[in-house]
Amino acid sequence: MNRFTHDIRVYWEDTDAGAIVFYANYLKFMERARTEWLRHMGVQQQQLRDDTGGMFVVTETQVRYHRPARLDDLLRVSAELKHMGQASITLVQQVAMADDPTRKLAEGTIRIGWVEAATLRPTRMPAALLGTLERHRAPSTAETDPRP
């Protein structure tokens, strides 16, 4: 598995007064897809925190919006690991219409870092987690992210 997808329905709470998805909610959709991506690999974030004392935090986002989603639309949100360092990973994500995944609504690059949960200080990811992520990295990205 390299590119993971997760379908999300647009509800009233996701929209503005015009029944169009509020721009910041695309980040929520991407967060849900990243969480389900990890879960699909067998990584439960609360269990990981309990076992290791560490957790992921978003450190950087870049999102480009192409067209709006509307109330009741079914969206397909993808997550693909592109770069991996010892203390962070970078994913490329897209939000598209589920019935036509070529119809992109938004796309972004999200960098998440690994921190000690108690202090929020950056630290290296556990070896087992690095191994799991390595097995799911896109094959075209042999290089690692130069940032920690």
Side-chain angles (χ1 to χ4, degrees), residues 19 23 34 36 40 43 48 50-51 59 73 96 99 113 124 130 133 140 142:
Y23 76 95
R34 284 192 310 277
E36 294 303 324
H40 184 75
V43 177
L48 190 61
D50 292 345
D51 293 348
T59 60
D73 283 348
D99 62 352
R124 289 177 180 245
L130 285 168
L133 293 171
S140 63

Side-chain angles (χ1 to χ4, degrees), residues 69-127:
R70 293 177 165 72
L71 180 65
D72 290 330
D73 283 348
L74 184 61
L75 310 179
R76 178 146 304 145
V77 186
S78 66
E80 183 174 7
L81 178 60
K82 294 306 265 188
H83 299 284
M84 196 170 102
Q86 295 295 308
S88 71
I89 59 176
T90 302
L91 294 101
V92 173
Q93 295 195 256
Q94 285 187 0
V95 180
M97 297 301 295
D99 62 352
D100 181 6
T102 63
R103 193 167 148 217
K104 288 190 295 190
L105 306 175
E107 57 189 332
T109 303
I110 314 295
R111 182 171 178 240
I112 56 177
W114 184 257
V115 299
E116 294 175 357
T119 64
L120 299 180
R121 291 177 51 169
T123 189
R124 289 177 180 245
M125 286 182 266

Side-chain angles (χ1 to χ4, degrees), residues 25-83:
N25 286 333
Y26 288 93
L27 290 170
K28 289 181 180 183
F29 300 156
M30 290 177 184
E31 174 75 25
R32 291 177 197 163
R34 284 192 310 277
T35 298
E36 294 303 324
W37 169 71
L38 288 168
R39 190 182 318 274
H40 184 75
M41 289 186 283
V43 177
Q44 305 292 326
Q45 292 189 77
Q46 184 62 53
Q47 187 67 48
L48 190 61
R49 181 181 171 159
D50 292 345
D51 293 348
T52 68
M55 65 182 194
F56 286 115
V57 295
V58 173
T59 60
E60 185 178 342
T61 64
Q62 180 181 359
V63 179
R64 180 177 174 131
Y65 302 95
H66 298 285
R67 56 180 55 125
R70 293 177 165 72
L71 180 65
D72 290 330
D73 283 348
L74 184 61
L75 310 179
R76 178 146 304 145
V77 186
S78 66
E80 183 174 7
L81 178 60
K82 294 306 265 188
H83 299 284

